[in-house]
Amino acid sequence: MDSRATTLAQSVLARCDELGQCSSEPGRITRLYLDEPMRAVHVRLSEWMHQAGLSPHVDNAGNCIGRLRGHREEKVLLIGSHLDSVPGAGRYDGVLGVLIAVAVSELLADHQLPFHLDVIGFSEEEGVRFKMPYLGSAAVAGRFDPAWLLREDEQRITMRDAMSSFGLSPDDLDSCRYHTDQVIGYIEPHLEQGPVLERSGQPLGVVTGIVGQSRLQLAFRGEAGHAGTAPMAGRRDALVAASAFIQEVRNTALNIDGLKATVGSMRVHPNTPNVIPGSVELTLDIRHLADDVRNHGVETLVAAGHRSAEAEGCTFEVLEETSQHSVNADAQLMSMLTDAVNECCAGPVLLESGAGHDAVIMGQHFPMAMLFLRHPGGVSHHPDERVELDDVAVAIEVLGRYVLRLAEQFTHQQSV
Ligand code: HGY
Ligand code: MN
Ligand code: MN
């Protein structure tokens, strides 16, 4: 193991701890799109990028990007992950990948790469604030939908106003775009967020593909009433209908191999102990590596929603549905990454990602590869998230070798 990799890994973990302090909630990590803690993250990350020899800037989607200039201008290799978090997050989801990317560029600062190396800290992967994930990577890939600017957060602030008050220009998102002919590829280091690497005793894994995802906003509408005087017979209790539906979600997912389906949030109206719930709004997250199986899951569960509503005299509606199809890693980038891992540690595990990443968006527009780090305990989106120092060090060493291999290949291709 290169001793510099270990030293760099120590600073990566210390920096994850420091960024873990940038939170909008005392006592837990919550960092949302363009909130004040994100501004503090940009300040610290830009300093670290400077120290690593990168020239940083924040683009109009709020992505924090540092460039290690190559000796040729035509092409760029992108490497990074996201800076935002879910509420009550761990210290590593997203930022670990960005800080490993900074460490890799520090390791390579003395090399004259034949392409630029851009380290990207994406601004919004989780989609918590405006219920729309992948905002930063959508802007980089040139697929940001201007209609999203009208979306409002919990405080009724529009995305447009949030961007303007952060000092960004929401009408100039084109300036964020990288074009396919300039990008060699996008590489994302990330915690596995699951048990596979730990069970196999391997520090690193190479991702073969990322599951597709459907996110639905659903509503059950019944009739509110007095909890003490309304007869039990004939009630149209929206929460009873929703509860039957939630059980159906679990049963359906258990019967379709590989399907993941989760009701993660629910709002009861008027949410008062002595009032029969008149309406319930909830979210449904459905995932599978095969898009047709995922779409079948969506159809099956929407039908189950109508049945559960009808049984309780309620109505059921799909308020909104967004979906991302599954994405495969680029075969050549994946194979070269596997070779680089093989040189540094036991042969990597090849595995699919059940979690979504900015690589879902980037992989639809550019060649993509992901490197997973072992996740002790496998618990993520939770303060118990952990990662091993040695695994971070070997990831830095692998990615350093990998970028140099890509540089050799690029130089060879240019010479023929
Ligand atoms: O939901 C996900 O899979 C990711 O953490 N955004
Ligand atoms: Mn996450
Ligand atoms: Mn993540």
Side-chain angles (χ1 to χ4, degrees):
M1 170 83 74
D2 180 334
S3 61
R4 286 181 306 163
T6 303
T7 309
L8 287 167
Q10 284 160 344
S11 79
V12 164
L13 293 184
R15 290 171 174 177
C16 286
D17 291 346
E18 187 171 338
L19 294 189
Q21 303 304 312
C22 302
S23 172
S24 56
E25 292 185 311
R28 69 180 201 158
I29 298 174
T30 299
R31 196 165 47 246
L32 306 185
Y33 186 50
L34 303 183
D35 64 6
E36 276 317 300
M38 188 62 83
R39 201 187 296 277
V41 168
H42 286 172
V43 169
R44 289 303 280 132
L45 180 58
S46 299
E47 286 164 6
W48 295 330
M49 284 179 165
H50 257 304
Q51 289 165 19
L54 302 167
S55 38
H57 76 281
V58 175
D59 75 8
N60 277 325
N63 300 310
C64 187
I65 301 172
R67 170 160 289 186
L68 179 68
R69 300 197 67 78
H71 66 76
R72 296 181 60 155
E73 298 288 328
E74 309 93 321
K75 297 282 186 180
V76 58
L77 179 67
L78 308 176
I79 180 169
S81 190
H82 59 97
L83 297 171
D84 64 304
S85 81
V86 293
R91 274 170 293 168
Y92 303 113
D93 178 7
V95 289
L96 176 69
V98 181
L99 293 169
I100 284 177
V102 173
V104 170
S105 45
E106 200 161 341
L107 195 64
L108 299 176
D110 302 338
H111 290 266
Q112 276 293 308
L113 296 174
F115 43 69
H116 298 315
L117 181 66
D118 280 9
V119 172
I120 303 187
F122 284 114
S123 52
E124 171 65 324
E125 187 270 346
E126 304 286 2
V128 173
R129 182 172 180 184
F130 291 101
K131 309 281 179 286
M132 180 58 72
Y134 310 129
L135 295 177
S137 39
V140 163
R143 52 180 280 193
F144 190 101
D145 181 345
W148 297 345
L149 294 172
L150 302 174
R151 296 178 79 96
E152 293 181 347
D153 67 7
E154 304 274 321
Q155 284 70 44
R156 311 301 304 269
I157 297 169
T158 65
M159 191 185 296
R160 169 183 291 281
D161 288 348
M163 286 169 140
S164 306
S165 32
F166 200 83
L168 308 177
S169 309
D171 292 317
D172 178 20
L173 290 169
D174 261 357
S175 60
C176 308
R177 182 171 187 174
Y178 284 74
H179 293 275
T180 43
D181 59 359
Q182 72 178 116
V183 174
I184 291 174
Y186 170 69
I187 315 302
E188 181 163 357
H190 201 288
L191 264 185
E192 178 201 336
Q193 298 178 295
V196 174
L197 295 180
E198 186 177 30
R199 285 182 188 156
S200 58
Q202 303 277 18
L204 302 176
V206 174
V207 172
T208 55
I210 305 170
V211 299
Q213 251 185 73
S214 296
R215 291 195 184 181
L216 291 87
Q217 306 268 346
L218 305 172
F220 289 88
R221 311 271 188 229
E223 185 176 47
H226 195 299
T229 56
M232 286 310 291
R235 286 186 175 190
R236 296 192 302 117
D237 184 329
L239 188 51
V240 169
S243 314
F245 171 70
I246 293 168
Q247 190 56 56
E248 197 55 31
V249 167
R250 163 64 65 88
N251 298 341
T252 302
L254 286 171
N255 292 323
I256 299 179
D257 187 29
L259 190 78
K260 307 274 190 346
T262 312
V263 174
S265 68
M266 182 163 76
R267 281 211 178 112
V268 180
H269 305 278
N271 203 32
T272 307
N274 61 351
V275 180
I276 301 165
S279 72
V280 169
E281 287 165 10
L282 45 77
T283 59
L284 178 61
D285 176 314
I286 301 181
R287 307 186 189 203
H288 199 280
L289 196 59
D291 289 336
D292 57 342
V293 176
R294 172 171 53 86
N295 293 330
H296 169 67
V298 171
E299 284 162 23
T300 304
L301 288 174
V302 168
H306 284 293
R307 282 198 310 276
S308 310
E310 207 175 312
E312 185 61 28
C314 297
T315 57
F316 171 76
E317 52 183 313
V318 177
L319 302 174
E320 181 180 46
E321 177 177 353
T322 57
S323 73
Q324 295 297 343
H325 54 75
S326 60
V327 178
N328 291 320
D330 175 82
Q332 193 183 21
L333 286 181
M334 196 168 72
S335 133
M336 291 177 72
L337 183 55
T338 305
D339 294 344
V341 174
N342 270 322
E343 289 173 24
C344 299
C345 59
V349 173
L350 298 184
L351 70 170
E352 75 177 47
S353 173
H357 303 282
D358 286 298
V360 159
I361 301 298
M362 300 296 278
Q364 294 171 28
H365 299 269
F366 313 111
M368 169 277 285
M370 280 199 80
L371 181 70
F372 270 177
L373 282 82
R374 174 167 38 192
H375 188 148
V379 175
S380 186
H381 285 184
H382 188 281
D384 288 352
E385 247 173 34
R386 288 189 291 127
V387 73
E388 304 289 352
L389 172 70
D390 287 350
D391 294 352
V392 176
V394 75
I396 291 168
E397 186 169 355
V398 162
L399 289 167
R401 288 172 185 248
Y402 182 49
V403 173
L404 291 176
R405 291 278 177 291
L406 289 169
E408 283 162 20
Q409 181 196 59
F410 178 76
T411 304
H412 173 70
Q413 284 167 345
Q414 299 300 308
S415 62
V416 294

